[in-house]
Amino acid sequence: MDRPVHLTNIFDPVSTPAQAILELSWLVLWICAGIFVIVVGLLTYILIRFRRRRIDTEEPPQVYGSNQIELAWTVLPVLTVVVLFLVTTRTIRAVQNVVPSPDALQVTIVGHQWWWEIRYPTQGIVTANELHVPVSDRARPQATFLRLESVDVVHSFWVPRLAGKIDVVPNRTNTMWIEPFEAGLYLGQCAEYCGTQHANMLLRVVVHTRDDFERWVATQQQPPVRDPAVQAGRDLFQAIACVNCHTVRETLASGTFGPDLSHLMSRATLGAGVVDNTLPNLRAWMQNPQHLKPGNLMPDMKLTPQEMEHIVAYLATLK
Ligand code: CUA
């Protein structure tokens, strides 16, 4: 790609809510810029025009009260605030009061310290840190509706090019929607301080064409690869504590504290965006999870080098 890609630019929206918010922001910015120019202009003029001069010998005329001026500086600001209030309300309503159509894609996003669990209840898919959605076009609008929940502390879901920011609060379900009109990769970030690794609670949104999205869904719905060559690793994985926190479908592993690993290798990063999901990084992560992402909840499993190789070889098959 030739042109630079702005993965997180709020001034370059590619989704309906982000577009509406940007239009409102420009209007507010222009109104405020106008006020700034008028105030600073008048102030500068007065400072220069009425500065103290050597020839000044007596006080200037003293003015007590002016109905015109007082009315002007009361009415104009009130009108300005009313306009700002009305346009803001209009945008908030346009963004919030959208009811999902029956065929809209529904995704549940659960904030964890420090990663995102992403569930597609209708499709039966569970993944992590990568939200995949179809693109919307004029002929076939396709919004994606998100339900946002947290299992621990307050997080905040923010993908600047797709929508505004919304808090992800324990014991509460917030909702938002996106309607991206360009396929591509958009980056997001937890935007509420949630602990040591808040800065490494990253999120990738992959917007696919229709066909690509269908393909992605079909792949994720497949049962995990069962490669006889890595049977030793698979057995070992199921025999140790990995299964308490992670799920690999159709195995004994059904934990829900950590990310679902059924299609681990289909994801681009490890540790919610800390490193690329490559074999060396996967091995480094397994050898000492606290090295790449200090404070994360995955313990060091104290495996022997040989056990480690078996498990890594097994995980590497989970495409
Ligand atoms: Cu989650 Cu900050």
Side-chain angles (χ1 to χ4, degrees):
M1 208 179 281
D2 299 324
R3 69 194 175 94
V5 187
H6 299 294
L7 298 170
T8 56
N9 189 348
I10 57 164
F11 294 103
D12 193 8
V14 288
S15 164
T16 310
Q19 180 88 49
I21 292 168
L22 180 65
E23 280 163 14
L24 173 65
S25 307
W26 277 126
L27 182 68
V28 173
L29 272 174
W30 279 119
I31 291 176
C32 294
I35 295 170
F36 178 82
V37 168
I38 292 170
V39 170
V40 172
L42 282 174
L43 193 63
T44 312
Y45 168 76
I46 289 165
L47 282 173
I48 295 171
R49 173 75 180 74
F50 299 105
R51 70 187 183 280
R52 182 170 184 165
R53 295 202 175 94
R54 216 167 287 242
I55 51 167
D56 288 344
T57 49
E58 56 196 60
E59 282 203 340
Q62 302 296 299
V63 180
Y64 297 99
S66 159
N67 283 342
Q68 282 112 318
I69 293 179
E70 282 168 18
L71 264 179
W73 76 42
T74 308
V75 172
L76 287 179
V78 167
L79 284 180
T80 311
V81 170
V82 168
V83 168
L84 290 176
F85 173 76
L86 290 177
V87 292
T88 306
T89 311
R90 189 182 61 184
T91 303
I92 290 175
R93 288 175 60 93
V95 170
Q96 277 185 355
N97 294 3
V98 172
V99 180
S101 65
D103 62 336
L105 178 63
Q106 306 269 1
V107 184
T108 302
I109 297 183
V110 186
H112 293 251
Q113 282 176 318
W114 291 277
W115 60 283
W116 303 96
E117 176 184 345
I118 299 177
R119 316 182 76 96
Y120 296 71
T122 316
Q123 287 76 11
I125 296 171
V126 183
T127 183
N129 307 316
E130 269 183 28
L131 173 62
H132 291 252
V133 298
V135 75
S136 181
D137 55 51
R138 227 176 273 276
R140 275 177 71 192
Q142 169 75 69
T144 300
F145 285 80
L146 309 176
R147 293 167 57 86
L148 296 142
E149 297 166 6
S150 167
V151 293
D152 37 46
V153 298
V154 180
H155 304 272
S156 177
F157 181 89
W158 191 32
V159 187
R161 294 189 68 191
L162 299 183
K165 196 186 277 179
I166 192 160
D167 276 4
V168 182
V169 183
N171 299 317
R172 188 191 153 86
T173 301
N174 282 340
T175 56
M176 78 186 312
W177 58 287
I178 55 174
E179 191 186 13
F181 32 75
E182 260 179 51
L185 170 68
Y186 306 105
L187 298 186
Q189 156 88 52
C190 178
E192 178 77 44
Y193 182 73
C194 55
T196 318
Q197 287 294 340
H198 155 69
N200 283 326
M201 188 165 165
L202 307 175
L203 178 75
R204 301 164 76 83
V205 181
V206 185
V207 178
H208 296 277
T209 61
R210 293 300 173 118
D211 294 346
D212 279 353
F213 180 70
E214 295 303 328
R215 265 193 290 279
W216 180 82
V217 168
T219 316
Q220 296 289 314
Q221 284 173 332
Q222 292 290 314
V225 172
R226 203 167 172 158
D227 185 344
V230 294
Q231 187 63 38
R234 191 168 181 274
D235 291 343
L236 179 61
F237 179 82
Q238 294 186 85
I240 58 180
C242 307
V243 297
N244 295 336
C245 292
H246 293 286
T247 292
V248 177
R249 278 187 280 139
E250 303 191 0
T251 70
L252 295 176
S254 58
T256 53
F257 294 114
D260 187 303
L261 303 179
S262 303
H263 293 281
L264 169 67
M265 299 315 283
S266 73
R267 304 201 279 262
T269 67
L270 286 175
V274 178
V275 286
D276 289 342
N277 187 5
T278 62
L279 217 49
N281 284 340
L282 180 62
R283 189 174 290 116
W285 178 274
M286 290 289 301
Q287 271 161 357
N288 185 356
Q290 298 302 317
H291 175 66
L292 288 173
K293 194 169 181 177
N296 87 79
L297 297 184
M298 175 153 158
D300 183 348
M301 300 302 293
K302 307 267 187 246
L303 301 175
T304 67
Q306 204 201 353
E307 288 173 328
M308 183 74 64
E309 282 316 306
H310 280 316
I311 299 243
V312 171
Y314 166 58
L315 293 177
T317 63
L318 299 176
K319 298 238 158 59

